[in-house]
Coordinates of all heavy atoms in Angstrom, one line a residue:
M1216 N -116.2 -31.2 16.5 CA -114.9 -32.0 16.2 C -114.7 -32.1 14.8 O -115.4 -32.7 14.0 CB -115.1 -33.4 16.9 CG -113.9 -34.3 16.7 SD -112.6 -34.0 17.9 CE -111.3 -35.0 17.3
S1217 N -113.6 -31.6 14.3 CA -113.2 -31.6 12.9 C -112.5 -32.9 12.6 O -111.9 -33.5 13.4 CB -112.2 -30.5 12.6 OG -112.8 -29.5 11.8
N1218 N -112.6 -33.2 11.3 CA -111.9 -34.4 10.8 C -110.4 -34.0 10.4 O -110.1 -33.8 9.3 CB -112.7 -35.0 9.6 CG -112.0 -36.2 9.0 OD1 -111.0 -36.6 9.4 ND2 -112.7 -36.7 8.0
H1219 N -109.6 -33.9 11.5 CA -108.2 -33.5 11.2 C -107.4 -34.4 10.3 O -106.7 -34.0 9.4 CB -107.5 -33.2 12.5 CG -108.2 -32.2 13.4 ND1 -108.2 -30.9 13.1 CD2 -108.8 -32.4 14.6 CE1 -108.9 -30.2 14.0 NE2 -109.2 -31.1 14.9
A1220 N -107.6 -35.7 10.6 CA -106.8 -36.7 9.8 C -107.2 -36.6 8.3 O -106.3 -36.6 7.4 CB -107.0 -38.1 10.3
G1221 N -108.5 -36.5 8.0 CA -109.0 -36.3 6.7 C -108.4 -35.1 6.0 O -108.1 -35.0 4.8
S1222 N -108.4 -34.0 6.8 CA -108.0 -32.7 6.3 C -106.5 -32.8 5.9 O -106.1 -32.3 4.8 CB -108.1 -31.6 7.4 OG -109.5 -31.5 7.8
Y1223 N -105.7 -33.3 6.8 CA -104.2 -33.4 6.5 C -103.9 -34.4 5.4 O -103.0 -34.2 4.6 CB -103.4 -33.7 7.7 CG -103.3 -32.5 8.7 CD1 -103.8 -32.6 10.0 CD2 -102.8 -31.3 8.3 CE1 -103.8 -31.5 10.8 CE2 -102.7 -30.2 9.1 CZ -103.2 -30.3 10.4 OH -103.2 -29.2 11.2
M1224 N -104.7 -35.4 5.3 CA -104.6 -36.4 4.2 C -104.8 -35.8 2.9 O -104.1 -35.9 1.9 CB -105.5 -37.6 4.4 CG -105.4 -38.7 3.4 SD -106.4 -38.5 1.9 CE -108.0 -38.6 2.6
L1225 N -105.9 -35.0 2.8 CA -106.2 -34.2 1.6 C -105.1 -33.2 1.2 O -104.8 -33.1 0.1 CB -107.6 -33.5 1.8 CG -108.4 -33.2 0.6 CD1 -108.4 -34.3 -0.5 CD2 -109.8 -32.8 1.0
N1226 N -104.6 -32.6 2.2 CA -103.5 -31.6 2.0 C -102.3 -32.4 1.4 O -101.7 -31.9 0.4 CB -103.1 -30.9 3.3 CG -101.9 -30.0 3.2 OD1 -100.8 -30.5 3.1 ND2 -102.2 -28.7 3.1
E1227 N -102.0 -33.5 1.9 CA -100.9 -34.3 1.3 C -101.2 -34.8 -0.1 O -100.3 -34.8 -0.9 CB -100.6 -35.5 2.2 CG -99.9 -35.0 3.5 CD -99.3 -36.2 4.3 OE1 -98.6 -37.1 3.7 OE2 -99.5 -36.2 5.5
V1228 N -102.4 -35.2 -0.3 CA -102.8 -35.6 -1.7 C -102.6 -34.5 -2.7 O -102.1 -34.7 -3.8 CB -104.2 -36.2 -1.7 CG1 -104.7 -36.4 -3.2 CG2 -104.3 -37.5 -1.0
I1229 N -103.1 -33.3 -2.3 CA -103.0 -32.2 -3.2 C -101.5 -31.8 -3.4 O -101.1 -31.6 -4.6 CB -103.7 -30.9 -2.6 CG1 -105.2 -31.2 -2.6 CG2 -103.3 -29.7 -3.3 CD1 -106.0 -30.1 -1.8
T1230 N -100.7 -31.9 -2.4 CA -99.3 -31.7 -2.5 C -98.6 -32.7 -3.4 O -97.7 -32.3 -4.2 CB -98.6 -31.7 -1.1 OG1 -99.2 -30.7 -0.3 CG2 -97.1 -31.4 -1.2
I1231 N -98.9 -33.9 -3.3 CA -98.4 -35.0 -4.1 C -98.7 -34.8 -5.6 O -97.9 -34.8 -6.5 CB -98.8 -36.4 -3.7 CG1 -98.1 -36.7 -2.4 CG2 -98.5 -37.4 -4.7 CD1 -98.7 -38.0 -1.6
L1232 N -100.0 -34.5 -5.8 CA -100.5 -34.2 -7.2 C -99.8 -33.1 -7.8 O -99.4 -33.1 -9.0 CB -102.0 -34.0 -7.2 CG -102.9 -35.2 -7.0 CD1 -104.3 -34.8 -6.8 CD2 -102.8 -36.2 -8.1
D1233 N -99.6 -32.0 -7.0 CA -98.9 -30.8 -7.5 C -97.5 -31.1 -7.8 O -97.0 -30.7 -8.8 CB -99.1 -29.7 -6.5 CG -98.6 -28.4 -7.0 OD1 -98.9 -28.0 -8.2 OD2 -97.8 -27.7 -6.3
R1234 N -96.8 -31.9 -6.9 CA -95.4 -32.2 -7.1 C -95.2 -33.0 -8.4 O -94.2 -32.9 -9.1 CB -94.9 -33.0 -5.9 CG -93.4 -33.1 -5.9 CD -92.8 -33.7 -4.6 NE -93.2 -35.1 -4.5 CZ -93.9 -35.6 -3.4 NH1 -94.2 -34.8 -2.4 NH2 -94.2 -36.8 -3.3
H1235 N -96.2 -33.8 -8.8 CA -96.1 -34.5 -10.0 C -96.7 -33.8 -11.2 O -97.0 -34.4 -12.2 CB -96.8 -35.9 -9.8 CG -96.0 -36.8 -9.0 ND1 -94.9 -37.5 -9.4 CD2 -96.0 -37.1 -7.6 CE1 -94.3 -38.2 -8.4 NE2 -95.0 -37.9 -7.3
Q1236 N -97.0 -32.5 -11.0 CA -97.5 -31.6 -12.0 C -98.8 -32.0 -12.6 O -99.1 -31.8 -13.8 CB -96.4 -31.4 -13.1 CG -95.1 -30.9 -12.5 CD -94.0 -30.6 -13.5 OE1 -94.0 -31.3 -14.6 NE2 -93.1 -29.7 -13.2
A1237 N -99.7 -32.6 -11.8 CA -101.0 -33.0 -12.3 C -101.9 -31.8 -12.7 O -102.8 -32.0 -13.4 CB -101.7 -33.8 -11.2
F1238 N -101.5 -30.7 -12.1 CA -102.4 -29.5 -12.5 C -101.7 -28.6 -13.5 O -102.3 -27.5 -13.8 CB -102.6 -28.6 -11.2 CG -103.1 -29.4 -10.0 CD1 -102.3 -29.6 -8.8 CD2 -104.3 -30.1 -10.0 CE1 -102.8 -30.3 -7.8 CE2 -104.8 -30.8 -8.9 CZ -104.0 -30.9 -7.8
A1239 N -100.6 -29.0 -14.1 CA -99.8 -28.2 -14.9 C -100.5 -27.6 -16.2 O -100.3 -26.6 -16.6 CB -98.5 -28.9 -15.3
G1240 N -101.5 -28.5 -16.7 CA -102.2 -28.1 -17.9 C -103.4 -27.2 -17.7 O -104.0 -26.8 -18.7
M1241 N -103.7 -27.0 -16.4 CA -105.0 -26.3 -16.2 C -104.8 -24.8 -16.1 O -103.8 -24.3 -15.5 CB -105.6 -26.8 -14.8 CG -105.9 -28.2 -14.8 SD -106.6 -28.7 -13.2 CE -108.1 -27.9 -13.2
D1242 N -105.7 -24.0 -16.6 CA -105.6 -22.5 -16.4 C -106.0 -22.2 -14.9 O -106.6 -23.0 -14.2 CB -106.3 -21.7 -17.4 CG -107.8 -21.8 -17.2 OD1 -108.3 -21.7 -16.1 OD2 -108.5 -22.0 -18.3
E1243 N -105.6 -21.0 -14.5 CA -105.8 -20.7 -13.1 C -107.2 -20.7 -12.6 O -107.5 -21.1 -11.5 CB -105.2 -19.3 -12.9 CG -104.1 -19.3 -11.7 CD -103.4 -18.0 -11.6 OE1 -104.0 -17.0 -11.3 OE2 -102.2 -18.0 -11.9
T1244 N -108.1 -20.2 -13.5 CA -109.5 -20.2 -13.1 C -110.1 -21.6 -12.9 O -110.8 -21.8 -11.9 CB -110.4 -19.5 -14.2 OG1 -109.8 -18.2 -14.4 CG2 -111.8 -19.4 -13.9
A1245 N -109.7 -22.5 -13.7 CA -110.2 -23.9 -13.6 C -109.6 -24.5 -12.4 O -110.2 -25.3 -11.6 CB -109.8 -24.7 -14.8
L1246 N -108.3 -24.2 -12.1 CA -107.6 -24.8 -11.0 C -108.2 -24.3 -9.7 O -108.5 -25.0 -8.7 CB -106.2 -24.4 -11.0 CG -105.3 -25.0 -10.0 CD1 -105.4 -26.5 -9.9 CD2 -103.8 -24.7 -10.3
R1247 N -108.5 -23.0 -9.6 CA -109.2 -22.4 -8.4 C -110.6 -23.1 -8.2 O -110.9 -23.4 -7.1 CB -109.4 -20.9 -8.6 CG -108.1 -20.2 -8.4 CD -108.3 -18.7 -8.8 NE -107.1 -17.9 -8.5 CZ -106.9 -16.7 -8.9 NH1 -107.9 -16.1 -9.6 NH2 -105.8 -16.1 -8.6
A1248 N -111.3 -23.3 -9.3 CA -112.6 -23.9 -9.2 C -112.5 -25.4 -8.6 O -113.3 -25.8 -7.8 CB -113.3 -24.0 -10.5
V1249 N -111.5 -26.1 -9.1 CA -111.3 -27.5 -8.6 C -111.0 -27.4 -7.1 O -111.5 -28.2 -6.3 CB -110.2 -28.2 -9.4 CG1 -109.7 -29.4 -8.7 CG2 -110.6 -28.5 -10.8
M1250 N -110.1 -26.5 -6.7 CA -109.7 -26.5 -5.3 C -110.9 -26.1 -4.4 O -111.1 -26.6 -3.4 CB -108.5 -25.5 -5.1 CG -107.2 -25.9 -5.7 SD -106.7 -27.5 -4.8 CE -105.9 -28.3 -6.2
R1251 N -111.7 -25.1 -4.9 CA -112.8 -24.7 -4.1 C -113.8 -25.9 -4.0 O -114.4 -26.1 -2.9 CB -113.5 -23.5 -4.8 CG -112.8 -22.2 -4.6 CD -113.6 -21.0 -5.2 NE -112.8 -19.8 -5.1 CZ -112.3 -19.2 -6.1 NH1 -112.5 -19.6 -7.4 NH2 -111.6 -18.1 -5.9
E1252 N -114.0 -26.6 -5.1 CA -114.9 -27.7 -5.0 C -114.5 -28.8 -4.1 O -115.2 -29.4 -3.3 CB -115.2 -28.3 -6.4 CG -116.3 -29.3 -6.5 CD -116.6 -29.7 -7.9 OE1 -116.3 -29.0 -8.9 OE2 -117.2 -30.8 -8.1
I1253 N -113.2 -29.1 -4.1 CA -112.6 -30.1 -3.2 C -112.8 -29.7 -1.7 O -113.2 -30.4 -0.9 CB -111.1 -30.3 -3.5 CG1 -111.0 -31.1 -4.8 CG2 -110.4 -31.1 -2.4 CD1 -109.5 -31.2 -5.3
V1254 N -112.5 -28.4 -1.5 CA -112.5 -27.9 -0.1 C -114.0 -27.9 0.4 O -114.3 -28.4 1.5 CB -111.9 -26.5 0.1 CG1 -112.3 -25.9 1.4 CG2 -110.4 -26.5 -0.2
E1255 N -114.9 -27.5 -0.4 CA -116.3 -27.4 0.0 C -116.9 -28.8 0.2 O -117.6 -29.1 1.2 CB -117.2 -26.6 -1.0 CG -116.9 -25.2 -1.1 CD -117.2 -24.4 0.2 OE1 -118.0 -24.9 1.0 OE2 -116.5 -23.4 0.4
M1256 N -116.5 -29.7 -0.7 CA -117.0 -31.1 -0.5 C -116.4 -31.7 0.8 O -117.1 -32.3 1.6 CB -116.5 -32.0 -1.7 CG -116.7 -33.5 -1.6 SD -115.4 -34.4 -0.7 CE -113.9 -34.0 -1.6
A1257 N -115.1 -31.5 1.0 CA -114.5 -32.0 2.2 C -115.1 -31.4 3.5 O -115.3 -32.1 4.5 CB -113.0 -31.8 2.2
K1258 N -115.4 -30.2 3.5 CA -116.0 -29.5 4.7 C -117.5 -30.0 4.9 O -117.8 -30.3 6.0 CB -116.0 -28.0 4.5 CG -114.7 -27.3 4.7 CD -114.7 -25.9 4.1 CE -115.8 -25.0 4.6 NZ -115.7 -23.6 4.1
N1259 N -118.2 -30.0 3.8 CA -119.7 -30.3 3.9 C -120.0 -31.8 4.1 O -120.9 -32.1 4.8 CB -120.4 -29.8 2.7 CG -120.4 -28.3 2.6 OD1 -120.2 -27.6 3.6 ND2 -120.4 -27.7 1.4
E1260 N -119.2 -32.6 3.5 CA -119.5 -34.1 3.6 C -118.6 -34.8 4.5 O -119.0 -35.9 5.0 CB -119.4 -34.7 2.2 CG -120.4 -34.1 1.2 CD -120.3 -34.6 -0.2 OE1 -120.0 -35.8 -0.4 OE2 -120.6 -33.8 -1.1
Y1261 N -117.4 -34.3 4.9 CA -116.5 -35.1 5.7 C -116.0 -34.3 6.9 O -115.1 -34.8 7.6 CB -115.3 -35.6 4.9 CG -115.8 -36.5 3.7 CD1 -116.0 -36.0 2.5 CD2 -116.0 -37.9 4.0 CE1 -116.5 -36.8 1.4 CE2 -116.4 -38.7 3.0 CZ -116.7 -38.2 1.7 OH -117.1 -39.0 0.7
D1262 N -116.6 -33.2 7.2 CA -116.3 -32.4 8.4 C -114.8 -32.0 8.5 O -114.2 -32.0 9.5 CB -116.7 -33.1 9.7 CG -116.7 -32.2 10.9 OD1 -116.9 -31.0 10.7 OD2 -116.5 -32.8 12.0
C1263 N -114.2 -31.8 7.3 CA -112.8 -31.4 7.3 C -112.6 -29.9 7.5 O -113.6 -29.2 7.5 CB -112.2 -31.7 5.9 SG -112.0 -33.5 5.7
N1264 N -111.4 -29.5 7.8 CA -111.0 -28.2 8.2 C -110.4 -27.5 7.0 O -109.3 -28.0 6.6 CB -110.1 -28.3 9.4 CG -109.7 -26.9 9.9 OD1 -108.9 -26.2 9.2 ND2 -110.1 -26.5 11.0
Q1265 N -110.9 -26.4 6.6 CA -110.4 -25.7 5.4 C -109.0 -25.3 5.6 O -108.1 -25.4 4.6 CB -111.3 -24.5 5.2 CG -110.8 -23.6 4.0 CD -111.9 -22.6 3.7 OE1 -113.1 -22.8 3.7 NE2 -111.4 -21.4 3.4
G1266 N -108.6 -24.7 6.7 CA -107.3 -24.3 7.0 C -106.3 -25.4 6.9 O -105.2 -25.2 6.4
E1267 N -106.6 -26.6 7.4 CA -105.7 -27.7 7.4 C -105.5 -28.2 6.0 O -104.5 -28.7 5.6 CB -106.2 -28.8 8.3 CG -106.1 -28.4 9.8 CD -106.9 -29.3 10.7 OE1 -107.6 -30.2 10.3 OE2 -106.7 -29.1 11.9
I1268 N -106.6 -28.2 5.2 CA -106.5 -28.7 3.8 C -105.6 -27.8 3.0 O -104.8 -28.2 2.2 CB -107.9 -28.7 3.1 CG1 -108.8 -29.7 3.8 CG2 -107.8 -29.0 1.6 CD1 -110.3 -29.6 3.4
L1269 N -105.7 -26.5 3.2 CA -105.0 -25.5 2.4 C -103.6 -25.0 3.0 O -103.0 -24.3 2.4 CB -105.9 -24.3 2.2 CG -107.1 -24.5 1.4 CD1 -108.0 -23.2 1.3 CD2 -106.8 -24.9 -0.1
E1270 N -103.3 -25.6 4.1 CA -102.0 -25.2 4.8 C -100.8 -25.4 3.8 O -100.6 -26.5 3.4 CB -101.8 -26.0 6.0 CG -100.7 -25.5 6.9 CD -100.6 -26.2 8.2 OE1 -101.7 -26.3 8.9 OE2 -99.6 -26.7 8.5
G1271 N -100.1 -24.4 3.5 CA -99.0 -24.5 2.6 C -99.3 -24.6 1.1 O -98.3 -24.7 0.3
V1272 N -100.5 -24.7 0.8 CA -100.9 -24.8 -0.7 C -101.7 -23.7 -1.2 O -101.9 -23.5 -2.4 CB -101.5 -26.2 -1.0 CG1 -100.6 -27.3 -0.7 CG2 -102.8 -26.4 -0.3
A1273 N -102.4 -22.9 -0.3 CA -103.4 -21.9 -0.7 C -102.7 -20.9 -1.7 O -103.3 -20.5 -2.7 CB -104.0 -21.2 0.5
Q1274 N -101.5 -20.4 -1.2 CA -100.9 -19.3 -2.0 C -100.5 -19.8 -3.4 O -100.7 -19.0 -4.4 CB -99.7 -18.8 -1.3 CG -100.0 -17.9 -0.2 CD -98.9 -17.6 0.7 OE1 -98.6 -18.4 1.7 NE2 -98.2 -16.5 0.5
Q1275 N -100.0 -21.0 -3.6 CA -99.6 -21.4 -4.9 C -100.8 -21.6 -5.8 O -100.6 -21.5 -7.1 CB -98.8 -22.7 -4.9 CG -99.5 -23.9 -4.6 CD -98.5 -25.1 -4.2 OE1 -98.0 -25.1 -3.0 NE2 -98.3 -25.9 -5.1
F1276 N -102.0 -21.8 -5.3 CA -103.2 -21.8 -6.1 C -103.9 -20.5 -6.2 O -105.0 -20.4 -6.7 CB -104.1 -23.0 -5.6 CG -103.5 -24.4 -5.8 CD1 -103.3 -25.1 -4.7 CD2 -103.2 -24.8 -7.0 CE1 -102.7 -26.4 -4.8 CE2 -102.6 -26.1 -7.2 CZ -102.4 -26.9 -6.0
H1277 N -103.3 -19.5 -5.6 CA -103.8 -18.1 -5.6 C -105.2 -18.1 -5.0 O -106.1 -17.4 -5.5 CB -103.8 -17.6 -7.0 CG -102.5 -17.6 -7.7 ND1 -101.5 -16.6 -7.5 CD2 -101.9 -18.6 -8.4 CE1 -100.4 -17.0 -8.1 NE2 -100.6 -18.1 -8.7
L1278 N -105.3 -18.8 -3.9 CA -106.6 -18.7 -3.1 C -106.4 -18.2 -1.7 O -105.3 -18.4 -1.1 CB -107.2 -20.1 -3.0 CG -107.8 -20.8 -4.2 CD1 -108.1 -22.2 -3.9 CD2 -109.0 -20.0 -4.7
C1279 N -107.4 -17.4 -1.2 CA -107.3 -17.0 0.2 C -107.5 -18.2 1.1 O -108.5 -19.0 0.9 CB -108.3 -16.0 0.5 SG -108.4 -15.5 2.2
Y1280 N -106.6 -18.4 2.0 CA -106.6 -19.5 3.0 C -107.9 -19.5 3.8 O -108.4 -20.5 4.1 CB -105.4 -19.2 3.9 CG -105.2 -20.2 5.0 CD1 -104.3 -21.3 4.8 CD2 -105.6 -19.9 6.3 CE1 -104.0 -22.1 5.8 CE2 -105.2 -20.7 7.3 CZ -104.5 -21.9 7.1 OH -104.2 -22.7 8.1
Y1281 N -108.5 -18.3 4.0 CA -109.6 -18.2 4.9 C -111.0 -18.2 4.3 O -111.9 -18.8 4.7 CB -109.4 -16.9 5.8 CG -110.4 -16.8 7.0 CD1 -110.2 -17.7 8.1 CD2 -111.5 -16.0 7.0 CE1 -111.1 -17.6 9.1 CE2 -112.3 -15.9 8.0 CZ -112.1 -16.7 9.1 OH -113.0 -16.7 10.2
C1282 N -111.1 -17.5 3.1 CA -112.4 -17.3 2.5 C -112.5 -17.9 1.1 O -113.6 -17.9 0.5 CB -112.8 -15.8 2.5 SG -112.0 -14.9 1.2
L1283 N -111.4 -18.4 0.6 CA -111.4 -19.0 -0.8 C -111.5 -18.1 -1.9 O -111.7 -18.5 -3.1 CB -112.4 -20.2 -0.9 CG -112.2 -21.4 0.0 CD1 -113.4 -22.4 -0.3 CD2 -110.9 -22.1 -0.2
A1284 N -111.5 -16.8 -1.6 CA -111.5 -15.8 -2.7 C -110.2 -15.9 -3.5 O -109.2 -16.4 -3.0 CB -111.7 -14.4 -2.1
D1285 N -110.2 -15.3 -4.7 CA -109.0 -15.2 -5.5 C -108.0 -14.3 -4.6 O -108.4 -13.4 -4.0 CB -109.2 -14.4 -6.8 CG -110.0 -15.3 -7.8 OD1 -110.4 -16.4 -7.4 OD2 -110.3 -14.8 -8.8
N1286 N -106.8 -14.8 -4.7 CA -105.7 -14.0 -3.9 C -104.4 -14.0 -4.7 O -103.7 -15.0 -4.8 CB -105.5 -14.6 -2.5 CG -104.5 -13.8 -1.8 OD1 -104.2 -12.6 -2.0 ND2 -103.8 -14.5 -0.8
D1287 N -104.2 -12.9 -5.4 CA -103.0 -12.9 -6.3 C -101.7 -12.3 -5.6 O -100.8 -12.0 -6.3 CB -103.3 -12.1 -7.5 CG -104.3 -12.8 -8.4 OD1 -104.1 -14.1 -8.6 OD2 -105.3 -12.2 -8.9
N1288 N -101.8 -12.1 -4.3 CA -100.6 -11.7 -3.6 C -99.8 -12.8 -3.1 O -100.2 -13.5 -2.1 CB -101.1 -10.8 -2.4 CG -99.9 -10.2 -1.6 OD1 -98.7 -10.6 -1.9 ND2 -100.2 -9.4 -0.6
P1289 N -98.7 -13.1 -3.7 CA -97.9 -14.3 -3.3 C -97.2 -14.2 -2.0 O -96.8 -15.1 -1.4 CB -96.8 -14.4 -4.5 CG -96.7 -12.9 -4.9 CD -98.1 -12.3 -4.8
A1290 N -97.2 -13.0 -1.4 CA -96.6 -12.8 -0.1 C -97.6 -12.9 1.1 O -97.1 -12.8 2.2 CB -96.0 -11.4 -0.1
D1291 N -98.8 -13.2 0.8 CA -99.8 -13.2 1.9 C -100.8 -14.4 1.6 O -101.3 -14.5 0.5 CB -100.5 -11.9 2.0 CG -101.3 -11.8 3.3 OD1 -101.5 -12.8 4.0 OD2 -101.6 -10.6 3.6
E1292 N -101.0 -15.2 2.6 CA -102.0 -16.3 2.4 C -103.4 -15.9 2.5 O -104.3 -16.6 2.3 CB -101.7 -17.5 3.4 CG -101.8 -17.1 4.8 CD -101.3 -18.2 5.8 OE1 -100.7 -19.1 5.3 OE2 -101.5 -18.0 7.0
L1293 N -103.6 -14.6 3.0 CA -105.0 -14.1 3.1 C -105.2 -13.0 2.1 O -104.3 -12.3 1.7 CB -105.1 -13.4 4.5 CG -105.0 -14.3 5.7 CD1 -105.0 -13.5 7.0 CD2 -106.2 -15.3 5.7
C1294 N -106.5 -12.9 1.5 CA -106.8 -11.9 0.6 C -106.8 -10.6 1.3 O -106.9 -10.5 2.6 CB -108.1 -12.2 -0.1 SG -109.6 -12.1 1.0
P1295 N -106.8 -9.4 0.6 CA -106.8 -8.1 1.3 C -108.0 -7.9 2.3 O -107.8 -7.3 3.3 CB -106.9 -7.1 0.1 CG -106.3 -7.8 -1.0 CD -106.7 -9.3 -0.8
T1296 N -109.2 -8.4 1.9 CA -110.3 -8.3 2.8 C -110.1 -9.0 4.1 O -110.3 -8.5 5.2 CB -111.6 -8.8 2.1 OG1 -111.8 -8.1 0.9 CG2 -112.8 -8.6 3.0
C1297 N -109.7 -10.3 4.0 CA -109.5 -11.0 5.3 C -108.3 -10.5 6.0 O -108.3 -10.6 7.3 CB -109.2 -12.5 4.9 SG -110.7 -13.3 4.3
R1298 N -107.3 -10.0 5.3 CA -106.1 -9.4 6.0 C -106.5 -8.2 6.9 O -106.1 -8.1 8.1 CB -105.1 -9.0 5.0 CG -103.8 -8.2 5.6 CD -103.1 -9.0 6.7 NE -102.6 -10.2 6.3 CZ -102.2 -11.2 7.1 NH1 -102.5 -11.1 8.4 NH2 -101.8 -12.4 6.7
V1299 N -107.4 -7.4 6.4 CA -107.9 -6.2 7.2 C -108.7 -6.7 8.4 O -108.5 -6.3 9.5 CB -108.8 -5.3 6.3 CG1 -109.6 -4.3 7.2 CG2 -108.0 -4.6 5.2
D1300 N -109.5 -7.7 8.2 CA -110.3 -8.3 9.3 C -109.5 -9.0 10.3 O -109.7 -9.0 11.5 CB -111.4 -9.3 8.8 CG -112.5 -8.6 8.0 OD1 -112.6 -7.4 8.0 OD2 -113.2 -9.3 7.3
W1301 N -108.4 -9.6 9.8 CA -107.5 -10.4 10.7 C -106.6 -9.5 11.6 O -106.4 -9.9 12.7 CB -106.6 -11.3 9.8 CG -106.0 -12.5 10.5 CD1 -104.8 -12.4 11.1 CD2 -106.5 -13.8 10.5 NE1 -104.6 -13.7 11.6 CE2 -105.6 -14.5 11.2 CE3 -107.6 -14.4 10.0 CZ2 -105.8 -15.9 11.5 CZ3 -107.8 -15.8 10.2 CH2 -106.9 -16.5 10.9
D1302 N -106.1 -8.4 11.0 CA -105.2 -7.6 11.7 C -105.9 -6.8 12.8 O -107.1 -6.7 12.9 CB -104.5 -6.6 10.8 CG -103.4 -7.4 9.9 OD1 -103.0 -8.5 10.4 OD2 -103.1 -6.9 8.9
Ligands
ZN901 ZN1 -110.1 -14.0 2.2

């Protein structure tokens, strides 16, 4: 049983922070590291769901929705490796 409420709450917090440009001064590598750390902490310590945390935000942070790898394709929420496995 996943912590769906916690996952969606975190998604909303990330969205609010982004809307207020809290990440605007960070370079992309640092931002990706922050997002990965948040997701891993939420999964490991609070039983949150990665997909729910990253829903609608993974692409703007250039992360793969599924594996958290770098993903520079703005048209796809999955990295090329996961896209091949998914299709
Ligand atoms: Zn991936």
Side-chain angles (χ1 to χ4, degrees):
M1216 176 85 186
S1217 250
N1218 180 355
H1219 300 293
S1222 304
Y1223 286 120
M1224 182 273 294
L1225 201 45
N1226 178 282
E1227 287 192 44
V1228 168
I1229 292 169
T1230 301
I1231 289 167
L1232 288 170
D1233 187 47
R1234 191 171 67 238
H1235 290 278
Q1236 302 183 333
F1238 308 117
M1241 298 178 70
D1242 70 47
E1243 235 172 65
T1244 302
L1246 186 51
R1247 286 171 172 171
V1249 167
M1250 288 300 145
R1251 287 187 182 110
E1252 190 171 338
I1253 289 171
V1254 169
E1255 291 299 334
M1256 172 276 301
K1258 284 167 52 181
N1259 295 331
E1260 296 178 32
Y1261 298 96
D1262 193 30
C1263 287
N1264 178 291
Q1265 178 171 321
E1267 291 168 353
I1268 297 167
L1269 293 175
E1270 191 175 309
V1272 300
Q1274 281 169 275
Q1275 73 195 77
F1276 295 117
H1277 304 275
L1278 288 171
C1279 174
Y1280 181 87
Y1281 193 71
C1282 76
L1283 295 179
D1285 291 358
N1286 181 24
D1287 290 317
N1288 181 356
D1291 196 341
E1292 64 189 6
L1293 296 173
C1294 69
T1296 303
C1297 289
R1298 174 55 61 201
V1299 169
D1300 292 345
W1301 198 275
D1302 288 338

